[in-house]
Amino acid sequence: MNNLDSYDPSGVGQVNGNLFGLPFDYDSARTIVFGVPWEVTVSYNPGTAAAPQQILDASPQLDLYDFDNPQGWQGGIYMPPIDLDILAKNNYYRQQAALIIDRLEQGKSLDLEPDLNPVLAEINQAGKDINQWLYDRTQAAMKAGKKVGVIGGDHSVPLGYMQALADRYPDYGILHVDAHSDLRDAYEGFEFSHASIMFNALKISQISKLVQVGIRDVSKVEIDTIERSNGRAIAYYDSLLKQQMYSGKTWLSICQEAIAHLPQQVYISFDADGLDPKLCPSTGTPVPGGLELEQAFCLCREVIRSGREIIGFDVCEVGNAEWDGNVGARIVYKLINLMNLQNAK
């Protein structure tokens, strides 16, 4: 597939089944991006399981010149075919999870007739299986010398990749862009809930720091978790960020302060609902407020400008709509180009 001699990066984007229409395959690409169509535990708007396909479909519309890494595409990007077996399992378990969510929202016990506890156990096992699936594939890609990105699905998706990174890096941090802290313990009974991804991440001892930016829809128990973490988790709440900016503090200085908390190796976990909802209105749990796209890019750019290394990323909670896919594709492309800047220098 790799035929760079005849490829025109300024030409019409090719619809060839690969991200951004690029002429690379698994072997020739430096960066592998796994799409994981999984949103079993989504508790508000469904549709994020379609995000990998929406982002793939929108991606050839992007121009490839990136101001941070103008030749970044030449390193090669490849997205393996979306696993339709995972999508089928998602659709099945999503229906089962909806029964549990509906029961809980009515204030009723799962022990009522019919008993839904076996269903909950089955869903939790399916979550473990997805984690293992992603762990195996990201581990294999890294062993082959690849950089790796992940597209969800809901925000439960990247845990297996985080676990694979922990086998490679004895100390790394997470830069987390989100409207939510995602620090709930087994939200709604789901061990691998989208609202529990950072709670589960903090079980990984190699993750020494979690820096969250844009948080604006948060529970008391999550705030307590942050305050009891002895500085391991640090939150930049959206309302307080805005108040600082209204008082004259620059966004760049806020970004530099946030990044200064992180260790040398940094993983970026980017939830689309961290942005202003006008940018991804079909996200699973939209919240008013949030970041502009260039604000988020400025934050991620400061990881590199500070001398740190981006070791991986995920982009999750992009909605099932063409506009959301377009924005999601731009986030994926920017994070790939920033991640590969170390190789470009």
Side-chain angles (χ1 to χ4, degrees):
M1 186 177 179
N2 188 357
N3 188 8
L4 293 181
D5 291 339
S6 61
Y7 180 73
D8 180 7
S10 297
V12 176
Q14 299 174 19
V15 180
N16 61 1
N18 190 27
L19 272 175
F20 314 111
L22 289 171
F24 297 94
D25 56 18
Y26 189 99
D27 292 333
S28 60
R30 173 188 296 159
T31 303
I32 306 299
V33 180
F34 293 98
V36 187
W38 188 262
E39 59 166 1
V40 168
T41 66
V42 66
S43 51
Y44 193 39
N45 292 331
T48 61
Q53 189 66 52
Q54 285 286 358
I55 289 173
L56 176 63
D57 291 346
S59 65
Q61 296 299 318
L62 275 64
D63 281 315
L64 295 176
Y65 190 92
D66 180 85
F67 284 95
D68 290 300
N69 192 357
Q71 305 302 321
W73 67 271
Q74 292 183 357
I77 301 166
Y78 178 69
M79 181 176 178
I82 296 167
D83 192 317
L84 297 182
D85 183 55
I86 289 179
L87 183 59
K89 290 178 179 178
N90 169 79
N91 295 340
Y92 169 76
Y93 287 115
R94 173 73 197 120
Q95 293 177 351
Q96 301 305 305
L99 299 174
I100 293 172
I101 294 169
D102 182 65
R103 179 79 61 83
L104 294 174
E105 287 180 345
Q106 294 179 43
K108 298 178 181 178
S109 169
L110 298 185
D111 297 325
L112 293 175
E113 190 68 32
D115 186 356
L116 290 177
N117 282 305
V119 176
L120 178 60
E122 187 179 354
I123 292 170
N124 285 336
Q125 181 59 51
K128 289 181 181 179
D129 294 343
I130 284 293
N131 293 339
Q132 188 64 49
W133 181 92
L134 188 59
Y135 174 91
D136 291 342
R137 280 152 184 79
T138 55
Q139 186 75 279
M142 289 189 290
K143 286 182 177 179
K146 312 292 187 182
K147 296 294 186 72
V148 176
V150 171
I151 301 173
D154 70 30
H155 212 161
S156 70
V157 160
L159 184 60
Y161 181 26
M162 294 175 181
Q163 292 166 337
L165 285 168
D167 288 348
R168 179 168 291 260
Y169 298 99
D171 175 26
Y172 75 94
I174 297 178
L175 175 61
H176 177 206
V177 176
D178 206 322
H180 311 87
S181 276
D182 293 343
L183 287 168
R184 294 175 181 266
D185 181 2
Y187 184 58
E188 297 175 322
F190 303 121
E191 183 178 354
F192 303 107
S193 168
H194 68 101
S196 303
I197 178 61
M198 294 306 161
F199 181 90
N200 290 327
L202 290 178
K203 294 178 182 178
I204 301 172
S205 62
Q206 292 89 338
I207 297 174
S208 60
K209 191 74 71 169
L210 169 65
V211 175
Q212 305 184 302
V213 180
I215 308 302
R216 56 195 185 276
D217 195 18
V218 63
S219 67
K220 177 64 163 55
V221 69
E222 291 172 299
I223 290 178
D224 290 344
T225 297
I226 292 168
E227 291 179 348
R228 290 197 303 264
S229 73
N230 294 318
R232 189 180 179 206
I234 298 172
Y236 285 81
Y237 301 106
D238 191 61
S239 59
L240 301 182
L241 292 176
K242 299 286 173 53
Q243 190 64 37
Q244 288 180 320
M245 294 172 68
Y246 300 153
S247 300
K249 191 169 184 177
T250 68
W251 177 247
L252 182 59
S253 66
I254 292 171
C255 293
Q256 291 169 340
E257 176 190 321
I259 298 306
H261 295 292
L262 290 162
Q264 179 62 26
Q265 273 75 40
V266 179
Y267 175 88
I268 297 178
S269 190
F270 198 121
D271 188 317
D273 68 36
L275 300 172
D276 186 306
K278 71 188 178 213
L279 294 166
C280 281
S282 300
T283 186
T285 48
V287 183
L291 307 182
E292 294 294 338
L293 191 60
E294 285 300 330
Q295 284 184 305
F297 288 170
C298 177
L299 175 68
C300 296
R301 187 179 295 118
E302 282 305 305
V303 175
I304 300 302
R305 293 182 64 176
S306 71
R308 290 168 173 80
E309 178 187 6
I310 298 172
I311 59 173
F313 71 86
D314 67 73
V315 176
C316 292
E317 304 281 355
V318 173
N320 183 17
E322 183 178 359
W323 172 243
D324 298 65
N326 184 301
V327 173
R330 296 175 190 279
I331 299 169
V332 170
Y333 192 56
K334 175 59 71 176
L335 293 180
I336 290 171
N337 281 315
L338 289 174
M339 180 170 65
N340 286 318
L341 264 178
Q342 293 93 346
N343 301 93
K345 292 179 180 178

Tab-separated table of all heavy atoms in Angstrom, residues 214-216 223 227 235-249 251 254:
chain	number	residue	atom	x	y	z
A	214	GLY	N	-10.425	20.949	32.430
A	214	GLY	CA	-11.744	21.197	31.849
A	214	GLY	C	-12.889	20.613	32.645
A	214	GLY	O	-14.048	20.665	32.221
A	215	ILE	N	-12.598	20.057	33.807
A	215	ILE	CA	-13.615	19.364	34.618
A	215	ILE	C	-14.701	20.350	35.053
A	215	ILE	O	-14.414	21.417	35.592
A	215	ILE	CB	-12.973	18.734	35.871
A	215	ILE	CG1	-11.763	17.869	35.489
A	215	ILE	CG2	-14.005	17.946	36.659
A	215	ILE	CD1	-12.060	16.756	34.538
A	216	ARG	N	-15.961	19.972	34.821
A	216	ARG	CA	-17.065	20.871	35.196
A	216	ARG	C	-18.349	20.127	35.565
A	216	ARG	O	-19.367	20.763	35.847
A	216	ARG	CB	-17.333	21.863	34.069
A	216	ARG	CG	-17.624	21.230	32.726
A	216	ARG	CD	-17.500	22.277	31.609
A	216	ARG	NE	-17.894	21.749	30.312
A	216	ARG	CZ	-17.110	21.054	29.503
A	216	ARG	NH1	-15.875	20.778	29.882
A	216	ARG	NH2	-17.555	20.639	28.326
A	223	ILE	N	-14.352	14.613	43.985
A	223	ILE	CA	-13.551	15.697	44.556
A	223	ILE	C	-12.804	15.193	45.787
A	223	ILE	O	-11.618	15.504	45.991
A	223	ILE	CB	-14.442	16.902	44.878
A	223	ILE	CG1	-14.919	17.568	43.580
A	223	ILE	CG2	-13.689	17.919	45.749
A	223	ILE	CD1	-15.847	18.727	43.769
A	227	GLU	N	-8.772	15.169	46.440
A	227	GLU	CA	-8.180	15.842	47.599
A	227	GLU	C	-7.419	14.875	48.493
A	227	GLU	O	-6.481	15.277	49.190
A	227	GLU	CB	-9.277	16.564	48.378
A	227	GLU	CG	-9.858	17.757	47.609
A	227	GLU	CD	-10.966	18.465	48.357
A	227	GLU	OE1	-11.457	17.908	49.379
A	227	GLU	OE2	-11.375	19.555	47.914
A	235	ALA	N	-6.794	18.477	39.613
A	235	ALA	CA	-7.883	18.884	38.722
A	235	ALA	C	-7.861	20.388	38.482
A	235	ALA	O	-7.721	21.172	39.426
A	235	ALA	CB	-9.226	18.462	39.298
A	236	TYR	N	-8.010	20.753	37.226
A	236	TYR	CA	-8.199	22.147	36.823
A	236	TYR	C	-9.657	22.284	36.390
A	236	TYR	O	-10.020	21.929	35.274
A	236	TYR	CB	-7.233	22.513	35.697
A	236	TYR	CG	-5.815	22.715	36.177
A	236	TYR	CD1	-4.978	21.622	36.401
A	236	TYR	CD2	-5.324	23.987	36.437
A	236	TYR	CE1	-3.681	21.797	36.862
A	236	TYR	CE2	-4.028	24.177	36.902
A	236	TYR	CZ	-3.214	23.074	37.108
A	236	TYR	OH	-1.931	23.261	37.569
A	237	TYR	N	-10.468	22.789	37.328
A	237	TYR	CA	-11.907	22.884	37.100
A	237	TYR	C	-12.226	24.036	36.153
A	237	TYR	O	-11.664	25.131	36.263
A	237	TYR	CB	-12.638	23.050	38.431
A	237	TYR	CG	-12.396	21.911	39.388
A	237	TYR	CD1	-11.567	22.066	40.499
A	237	TYR	CD2	-12.971	20.663	39.171
A	237	TYR	CE1	-11.327	21.014	41.379
A	237	TYR	CE2	-12.735	19.601	40.043
A	237	TYR	CZ	-11.914	19.787	41.139
A	237	TYR	OH	-11.676	18.740	41.993
A	238	ASP	N	-13.138	23.779	35.240
A	238	ASP	CA	-13.422	24.734	34.175
A	238	ASP	C	-13.846	26.098	34.699
A	238	ASP	O	-13.381	27.135	34.209
A	238	ASP	CB	-14.516	24.155	33.267
A	238	ASP	CG	-14.687	24.952	31.985
A	238	ASP	OD1	-13.722	25.051	31.207
A	238	ASP	OD2	-15.785	25.484	31.761
A	239	SER	N	-14.707	26.124	35.702
A	239	SER	CA	-15.190	27.414	36.217
A	239	SER	C	-14.056	28.226	36.830
A	239	SER	O	-13.993	29.459	36.672
A	239	SER	CB	-16.294	27.191	37.255
A	239	SER	OG	-15.815	26.411	38.337
A	240	LEU	N	-13.132	27.546	37.515
A	240	LEU	CA	-12.006	28.249	38.129
A	240	LEU	C	-11.007	28.711	37.068
A	240	LEU	O	-10.412	29.794	37.190
A	240	LEU	CB	-11.319	27.351	39.150
A	240	LEU	CG	-12.203	26.859	40.305
A	240	LEU	CD1	-11.397	26.020	41.276
A	240	LEU	CD2	-12.864	28.025	41.022
A	241	LEU	N	-10.825	27.903	36.023
A	241	LEU	CA	-9.970	28.320	34.918
A	241	LEU	C	-10.503	29.593	34.263
A	241	LEU	O	-9.752	30.533	33.975
A	241	LEU	CB	-9.869	27.209	33.872
A	241	LEU	CG	-9.129	25.937	34.264
A	241	LEU	CD1	-9.226	24.914	33.140
A	241	LEU	CD2	-7.675	26.230	34.586
A	242	LYS	N	-11.816	29.605	34.026
A	242	LYS	CA	-12.416	30.777	33.382
A	242	LYS	C	-12.273	32.007	34.282
A	242	LYS	O	-11.992	33.117	33.800
A	242	LYS	CB	-13.897	30.489	33.085
A	242	LYS	CG	-14.129	29.317	32.132
A	242	LYS	CD	-13.788	29.660	30.704
A	242	LYS	CE	-13.852	28.446	29.783
A	242	LYS	NZ	-15.090	27.694	29.815
A	243	GLN	N	-12.457	31.815	35.572
A	243	GLN	CA	-12.339	32.950	36.491
A	243	GLN	C	-10.911	33.506	36.474
A	243	GLN	O	-10.713	34.731	36.506
A	243	GLN	CB	-12.714	32.524	37.910
A	243	GLN	CG	-12.866	33.669	38.899
A	243	GLN	CD	-14.014	34.599	38.529
A	243	GLN	OE1	-15.053	34.164	38.046
A	243	GLN	NE2	-13.823	35.895	38.742
A	244	GLN	N	-9.926	32.630	36.419
A	244	GLN	CA	-8.536	33.088	36.331
A	244	GLN	C	-8.304	33.880	35.046
A	244	GLN	O	-7.621	34.918	35.052
A	244	GLN	CB	-7.587	31.891	36.379
A	244	GLN	CG	-7.479	31.241	37.742
A	244	GLN	CD	-6.524	30.065	37.724
A	244	GLN	OE1	-6.490	29.276	36.785
A	244	GLN	NE2	-5.725	29.938	38.776
A	245	MET	N	-8.867	33.407	33.961
A	245	MET	CA	-8.686	34.097	32.686
A	245	MET	C	-9.429	35.429	32.665
A	245	MET	O	-8.935	36.421	32.116
A	245	MET	CB	-9.141	33.190	31.541
A	245	MET	CG	-8.263	31.953	31.376
A	245	MET	SD	-8.907	30.767	30.185
A	245	MET	CE	-8.723	31.701	28.667
A	246	TYR	N	-10.600	35.483	33.298
A	246	TYR	CA	-11.321	36.755	33.388
A	246	TYR	C	-10.515	37.781	34.181
A	246	TYR	O	-10.651	38.992	33.979
A	246	TYR	CB	-12.682	36.556	34.061
A	246	TYR	CG	-13.615	35.598	33.365
A	246	TYR	CD1	-14.589	34.887	34.075
A	246	TYR	CD2	-13.543	35.373	31.991
A	246	TYR	CE1	-15.446	34.006	33.460
A	246	TYR	CE2	-14.406	34.487	31.359
A	246	TYR	CZ	-15.343	33.803	32.102
A	246	TYR	OH	-16.203	32.923	31.492
A	247	SER	N	-9.679	37.270	35.095
A	247	SER	CA	-8.866	38.155	35.935
A	247	SER	C	-7.539	38.538	35.276
A	247	SER	O	-6.733	39.243	35.884
A	247	SER	CB	-8.592	37.486	37.286
A	247	SER	OG	-9.809	37.196	37.961
A	248	GLY	N	-7.295	37.997	34.068
A	248	GLY	CA	-6.122	38.412	33.323
A	248	GLY	C	-5.031	37.372	33.161
A	248	GLY	O	-4.027	37.628	32.497
A	249	LYS	N	-5.197	36.207	33.774
A	249	LYS	CA	-4.188	35.161	33.616
A	249	LYS	C	-4.287	34.570	32.218
A	249	LYS	O	-5.388	34.311	31.717
A	249	LYS	CB	-4.386	34.074	34.673
A	249	LYS	CG	-3.235	33.079	34.758
A	249	LYS	CD	-3.369	32.191	35.993
A	249	LYS	CE	-2.171	31.269	36.145
A	249	LYS	NZ	-2.261	30.448	37.380
A	251	TRP	N	-4.035	31.876	29.108
A	251	TRP	CA	-4.240	30.441	28.943
A	251	TRP	C	-2.905	29.714	28.838
A	251	TRP	O	-2.733	28.628	29.377
A	251	TRP	CB	-5.105	30.156	27.715
A	251	TRP	CG	-5.289	28.698	27.452
A	251	TRP	CD1	-4.829	27.978	26.400
A	251	TRP	CD2	-5.981	27.751	28.291
A	251	TRP	NE1	-5.183	26.651	26.511
A	251	TRP	CE2	-5.894	26.490	27.670
A	251	TRP	CE3	-6.669	27.862	29.501
A	251	TRP	CZ2	-6.462	25.341	28.211
A	251	TRP	CZ3	-7.233	26.709	30.052
A	251	TRP	CH2	-7.124	25.468	29.403
A	254	ILE	N	-1.488	29.029	32.202
A	254	ILE	CA	-2.246	27.965	32.861
A	254	ILE	C	-1.796	26.604	32.335
A	254	ILE	O	-1.588	25.651	33.099
A	254	ILE	CB	-3.757	28.169	32.644
A	254	ILE	CG1	-4.244	29.410	33.395
A	254	ILE	CG2	-4.543	26.935	33.092
A	254	ILE	CD1	-5.665	29.816	33.078
